[in-house]
Amino acid sequence: IAEVKNTVKDVFIEELTMSNNSAEKALIYYNQKEDEKSCIVYEYHFLNDKLISTGVFVNNGVDFFNDLIHYLDETYYYEGEYKNTGTNSAFSYQRSYLTIDKTSYLDVYYKIPVTDYYLVFLPTH
């Protein structure tokens, strides 16, 4: 956590402890200053101070969503598209990809119509 904080110095960082697990923390940072939370939010998720995933939330510029999906379909191994049945999620759908070197998964969460989307990078199991 300290390494990420030292690396990302010029943006607003918010540190959260997950309410259901005090060992799980998230660093959330924006590409603008504190008073102007941006349209792109970057997240680092930690469990017991070990990085377990990274994510990017985009709530503007969705005009590029179709181009993004097309790029991902051509660049990564497409694993499938799933309807999210969880009641707590703001996103209805998930597309899953595996990186070419097969070391990480990339999941894209979104809803229809696409007004925002969330990309999560996870290590393989």
Side-chain angles (χ1 to χ4, degrees):
I1 292 175
E3 185 177 340
V4 171
K5 283 182 176 180
N6 286 334
T7 303
V8 186
K9 295 180 181 178
D10 296 333
V11 293
F12 174 60
I13 296 178
E14 185 176 357
E15 184 172 341
L16 303 174
T17 299
M18 303 306 165
S19 59
N20 61 344
N21 185 353
S22 61
E24 187 176 354
K25 297 184 190 268
L27 287 181
I28 301 169
Y29 69 97
Y30 310 90
N31 63 349
Q32 295 179 10
K33 299 299 181 193
E34 182 174 349
D35 294 339
E36 307 171 15
K37 290 188 178 179
S38 66
C39 62
I40 299 176
V41 178
Y42 305 93
E43 299 180 347
Y44 288 98
H45 289 264
F46 300 88
L47 183 61
N48 296 320
D49 293 328
K50 181 181 178 188
L51 183 65
I52 57 172
S53 70
T54 59
V56 179
F57 176 77
V58 181
N59 63 4
N60 194 356
V62 294
D63 298 339
F64 302 106
F65 181 75
N66 289 335
D67 293 336
L68 169 70
I69 295 301
H70 181 71
Y71 171 79
L72 294 176
D73 286 346
E74 289 184 339
T75 308
Y76 296 96
Y77 294 117
Y78 175 68
E79 297 277 301
E81 183 171 52
Y82 313 96
K83 181 151 177 58
N84 187 353
T85 57
T87 56
N88 293 335
S89 177
F91 300 103
S92 311
Y93 296 93
Q94 172 187 340
R95 288 178 71 92
S96 291
Y97 298 90
L98 183 61
T99 57
I100 299 301
D101 61 4
K102 299 184 179 179
T103 60
S104 301
Y105 284 104
L106 168 59
D107 292 334
V108 181
Y109 297 92
Y110 60 97
K111 57 188 172 189
I112 302 291
V114 178
T115 55
D116 47 59
Y117 50 94
Y118 181 64
L119 290 80
V120 171
F121 299 89
L122 303 158
T124 57
H125 308 305

